[in-house]
Amino acid sequence: MSLRKGLIQALKFLAFLLVGVVLLWLAFRNIDFRSLSDGLKNARYSWLLLSLFFGLMAYFIRSRRWILLIHALGYNPSFRNTYHALMTGYLFNIALPRLGEITRCVALGKKEKIPVDQLFGTVIIERTIDLISILIIMVVMIFFSGDQIGGFLNENVMIPLSEKIQSVFGFTWIIWVLFLAFSGLLLALIYIFRHSIRKVRLFAKILDLAKGVIDGLKTIIRMERKAEFLLHTVLLWLSYALMTWVVVFAIESTSHLTFADGIFLLVIGSLAMSAPVQSGLGVFHFIISRGLFFIDGIKLEDGLVYAILTHESQLIFVLIAGAISFFVISGFHSLKNKETV
């Protein structure tokens, strides 16, 4: 069974990686690589240090915010273990999308003796709040700067995707109707036969996991420090915005962009990073370079320089910090100390 699971994980990894490679090819095709190389050579890399600082602050803030959710479950994990579990999760996300969400719950659960299913519920709450935050930022941007984001997404994502789906399946609304009908029927059958389903061991585990997730979702209601949670959410996205914006000063052609432009890049970059591809590989580079061209006519080569500096600097940081956190939370350092005694 372990061999089969390993094979499935390997196939998933290769499939997502293949998608990322294809998207990278789409992002870099018809690009003047000499101009791209010159842009990377002439970049002011000192700005990346400031970007990494804001990124680190975001990880600290996210760790504290996660602790506030866990407090509502009746547990009090240390900041140290929570941070290292979080960074371990980000490390595993590089290998396989969404694997890190499970990994960080397992890591912290074992270290702090907290049920993993309840921790997973708090992660769902986190991701839900993040989604709501992005939507709020998008609405505010549309209100103050016109339909900039809507126009970009419509021109570069929605129209091409709709045309592609329609060319393959015909009328897109039929697909949505069938999908919703099937989902409704499936949920109805599960509810009707829930007692019989629970007798099957696999489904019993799934239902128990679902119960744990629901318990975790209730934490937002029981949370005592709601104001602090809201404050950390605001600080988190402010850190992300600053992390994204300061990189524009590393490149001459983007150094005139405003903080509002940085917010635009944050939104489309967040949407790109949510794609089921390792670390947004390819998707981020494609979306960001086209986004910079869309808002200010910045040539694609310079847009890709910005995307590479932003994406790869954070990726390297997560690889280093995540590896250290995995080493710490796994207890390898403690085991080594015991062996030397």
Side-chain angles (χ1 to χ4, degrees), residues 27-248:
F28 284 88
R29 68 173 179 170
N30 302 323
I31 291 297
D32 182 356
F33 283 93
R34 183 182 294 275
S35 177
L36 179 66
S37 176
D38 290 341
L40 289 171
K41 288 179 182 178
N42 297 327
R44 297 183 285 269
Y45 286 86
S46 57
W47 286 101
L48 294 185
L49 296 177
L50 185 58
S51 176
L52 292 175
F53 168 77
F54 287 123
L56 180 61
M57 291 300 101
Y59 293 130
F60 286 159
I61 294 168
R62 187 175 284 279
S63 298
R64 174 58 187 170
R65 196 180 68 161
W66 192 20
I67 289 175
L68 293 176
L69 287 172
I70 298 172
H71 279 170
L73 296 174
Y75 300 95
N76 186 28
S78 68
F79 178 85
R80 176 178 180 272
N81 287 335
T82 306
Y83 166 77
H84 287 309
L86 177 74
M87 295 309 299
T88 299
Y90 277 110
L91 177 66
F92 277 77
N93 267 341
I94 295 176
L96 198 64
R98 306 296 172 256
L99 178 61
E101 314 297 4
I102 300 173
T103 303
R104 67 157 154 154
C105 292
V106 172
L108 186 62
K110 288 185 177 180
K111 200 73 175 179
E112 296 281 352
K113 311 301 181 186
I114 305 173
V116 175
D117 53 359
Q118 294 187 33
L119 285 176
F120 193 65
T122 63
V123 171
I124 293 177
I125 277 286
E126 263 200 323
R127 293 312 181 194
T128 303
I129 295 298
D130 290 342
L131 177 60
I132 294 173
S133 300
I134 279 289
L135 292 176
I136 291 175
I137 294 172
M138 289 178 63
V139 170
V140 171
M141 280 205 66
I142 292 173
F143 181 78
F144 283 102
S145 60
D147 198 14
Q148 189 180 51
I149 291 180
F152 171 75
L153 293 177
N154 190 52
E155 181 180 323
N156 292 271
V157 180
M158 299 307 297
I159 292 178
L161 181 62
S162 178
E163 291 176 349
K164 190 67 176 177
I165 293 175
Q166 190 166 353
S167 66
V168 175
F169 297 104
F171 296 105
T172 54
W173 65 268
I174 295 178
I175 302 301
W176 286 109
V177 170
L178 292 175
F179 174 76
L180 292 174
F182 176 78
S183 300
L185 178 62
L186 183 62
L187 290 174
L189 290 174
I190 291 174
Y191 179 78
I192 294 171
F193 298 103
R194 62 188 183 279
H195 298 298
S196 300
I197 289 176
R198 179 167 282 279
K199 296 178 181 179
V200 181
R201 184 178 179 183
L202 175 62
F203 287 107
K205 288 184 176 181
I206 293 175
L207 291 173
D208 289 339
L209 176 62
K211 182 179 181 301
V213 169
I214 292 173
D215 290 339
L217 292 173
K218 293 177 181 177
T219 58
I220 195 72
I221 300 173
R222 299 195 297 264
M223 188 186 303
E224 295 180 358
R225 302 177 180 177
K226 292 184 177 67
E228 184 182 351
F229 183 86
L230 178 60
L231 174 63
H232 281 297
T233 299
V234 173
L235 292 176
L236 176 67
W237 286 99
L238 178 60
S239 297
Y240 282 149
L242 292 171
M243 177 188 78
T244 303
W245 179 48
V246 296
V247 181
V248 304

Side-chain angles (χ1 to χ4, degrees), residues 292-309:
L292 285 169
F293 178 80
F294 180 84
I295 63 172
D296 204 58
I298 294 170
K299 63 180 184 178
L300 293 180
E301 287 80 3
D302 289 341
L304 284 170
V305 170
Y306 172 87
I308 291 171
L309 293 178

